[in-house]
Amino acid sequence: MLSLFRTNQSYASLLLFVYALVLQLPLFVLGGEPVESGPDSYYGGLLRTVVGTGGLLPILVPPLLIAVTGIVANNFADRFRISRTVTQFPGVCVVLLWGLSPAFHYFDPLQFSHLFLMLAVGSLGGTYKGRANEVARFNAGFWLGLASLLHPSYLIFILAFIVGISILGTTNLRTISQLLVGTLLAYVLAATTAYLIGDLRVFYESQLAGFNFGRVVPAGPYDLLGAGMLVLPLLIVVMTSNRSRLMLNIEGSKNVSFLYWVLLFSLPVAVCAVGLRVADVQVVVPPLGLLLGLWIGRQPPARAEFYHLLYFAAALILLTVAITD
C-alpha cells in the first residue's frame, strides 16, 4: 500500500482523501456516538453548531480536514527538502496517527487547528534566506491566532515559533513583534466580529476559559489505547532526531529542528486545554506524523510496509470494536 505514496505525483496527494475515508469507514457503516466534547471556545462552538453532532457531516468533515492537513505536510516536506527522497509519507503518517484513537474520529474544532498549525509552520519555514520574511512571520502568527481561536491553548505554540525564528533567522524584538502582530490581528478581527454580533462578552469569557488545569474528562478504554499507541512513534522520532538531519541541506536541517520544537510544545498545548480529554491528544498528530513520515521514508520498503500495516489494522480494529462494544 505504501508504494502508492512513494512518489511525487500529484495523484498521490489526492489518494490521502481516500486513505482517510477508509480509516473512517467503520463510522460510515456502523455509526457511533460522539465522545464528550467539553466546553468550546466561542468560534469553536459556532463551528460545532454548523457541523452538528448527528448525521453524515460530523463523520465526513474530520477525514477531509486531516487529509488536507496531510497534503500541507507533504508540501512542507517537499518545499524545504526535509526528506532525503520525495515521498508522500509525511502526509500518510499524519492521517494514520489521527486514525489510531476512536476519539479522534469524531468532529472537533481542534481538527481545523491542525490545518492552521501546519500552515503556520510552512509560513515560518520559508524564512531561512527567504524574501519578504516579515510577511512570512506575520502570516505564521495569523495562522496561529486562528488556531488558538478554536483551541485557546494553541497560544503556547507562540513560544515554539519564537524558538523557530531563532533557528531560521535572527531573534530580536522586531522579528518577534512581526509574529505577535499577526496573532493579535486574528484576535482583533475575531473580537470585532463578535462585537458586531453582540457577543463580545461571551467571546472574551470563552477564550479565557480555554485554559484549564486538572479537569480530566473520562474516556473509554479503546480511546485511551489508541492514544497510547502514539507513544511508540513519539519514542522513535525522539531517539532518531540526529539521524533525521543527516544528509540534508542547511535549510532542511533547520526546519527539521523547528519541527521538533513544535512537537515538544504540543504536549503542554494538549495538557492545558479547557479539559483534559483524549481527543486533545491529537494536538501532537501533525508534527509527530510529519516527523514519523521522514523516519518511515528511511526504512527498507518491507519494514516500512510492516509497520504501516500494523498501525493501519490497529486503527480500523480499535474503531470497529469501540463502536460495536
Side-chain angles (χ1 to χ4, degrees):
M1 185 184 296
L2 277 182
S3 60
L4 294 173
F5 299 97
R6 197 181 290 271
T7 175
N8 62 349
Q9 299 298 315
S10 58
Y11 74 85
S13 286
L14 296 178
L15 284 176
L16 282 180
F17 289 102
V18 178
Y19 185 82
L21 289 171
V22 169
L23 286 172
Q24 192 76 328
L25 191 60
L27 266 182
F28 286 115
V29 176
L30 302 173
E33 294 296 325
V35 294
E36 183 178 348
S37 63
D40 288 314
S41 67
Y42 177 76
Y43 285 98
L46 290 180
L47 271 179
R48 197 181 294 276
T49 300
V50 170
V51 175
T53 57
L56 181 63
L57 195 57
I59 298 176
L60 181 61
V61 170
L64 296 182
L65 282 175
I66 201 65
V68 175
T69 303
I71 291 173
V72 175
N74 284 335
N75 179 263
F76 177 84
D78 182 53
R79 180 183 172 193
F80 302 118
R81 299 293 188 268
I82 65 172
S83 175
R84 300 173 195 171
T85 58
V86 179
T87 71
Q88 308 293 318
F89 290 169
V92 170
C93 288
V94 168
V95 176
L96 178 62
L97 296 188
W98 162 81
L100 283 178
S101 176
F104 299 170
H105 286 255
Y106 298 95
F107 174 73
D108 194 292
L110 172 61
Q111 290 150 0
F112 277 95
S113 295
H114 293 338
L115 176 58
F116 295 149
L117 175 64
M118 288 311 306
L119 290 171
V121 168
S123 294
L124 192 65
T127 58
Y128 178 74
K129 293 185 178 180
R131 298 179 180 179
N133 287 344
E134 299 84 358
V135 176
R137 295 186 191 102
F138 173 88
N139 289 342
F142 185 77
W143 288 122
L144 270 184
L146 291 182
S148 66
L149 285 170
L150 301 176
H151 202 269
S153 64
Y154 263 66
L155 286 174
I156 297 173
F157 276 125
I158 289 176
L159 299 175
F161 276 66
I162 291 174
V163 175
I165 290 174
S166 69
I167 293 172
L168 296 163
T170 303
T171 304
N172 53 43
L173 183 59
R174 181 177 63 87
T175 55
I176 294 175
S177 296
Q178 291 160 359
L179 176 74
L180 297 180
V181 167
T183 304
L184 182 61
L185 179 62
Y187 272 79
V188 169
L189 293 176
T192 301
T193 302
Y195 172 76
L196 294 175
I197 298 173
D199 285 345
L200 181 59
R201 183 177 180 83
V202 177
F203 165 75
Y204 172 76
E205 291 176 347
S206 64
Q207 287 301 122
L208 286 182
F211 292 89
N212 201 346
F213 303 91
R215 192 177 78 84
V216 179
V217 178
Y222 304 111
D223 297 333
L224 290 171
L225 178 59
M229 291 183 68
L230 292 173
V231 173
L232 179 58
L234 182 62
L235 291 175
I236 288 173
V237 300
V238 169
M239 291 188 297
T240 60
S241 60
N242 290 330
R243 293 182 183 179
S244 64
R245 301 179 182 88
L246 292 176
M247 300 183 69
L248 297 178
N249 61 23
I250 296 176
E251 182 181 37
S253 179
K254 286 180 176 290
N255 272 290
V256 169
S257 297
F258 172 43
L259 279 174
Y260 273 97
W261 280 99
V262 174
L263 176 61
L264 174 64
F265 278 89
S266 67
L267 303 177
V269 169
V271 171
C272 295
V274 63
L276 186 56
R277 307 170 301 155
V278 172
D280 290 321
V281 177
Q282 64 184 298
V283 169
V284 307
V285 164
L288 179 58
L290 209 166
L291 290 168
L292 181 66
L294 303 181
W295 179 81
I296 287 288
R298 299 194 301 270
Q299 305 307 305
R303 184 183 302 172
E305 190 68 60
F306 171 76
Y307 291 140
H308 168 259
L309 288 177
L310 186 65
Y311 266 61
F312 184 80
L316 286 175
I317 292 171
L318 279 174
L319 181 58
T320 303
V321 173
I323 294 171
T324 56
D325 188 8

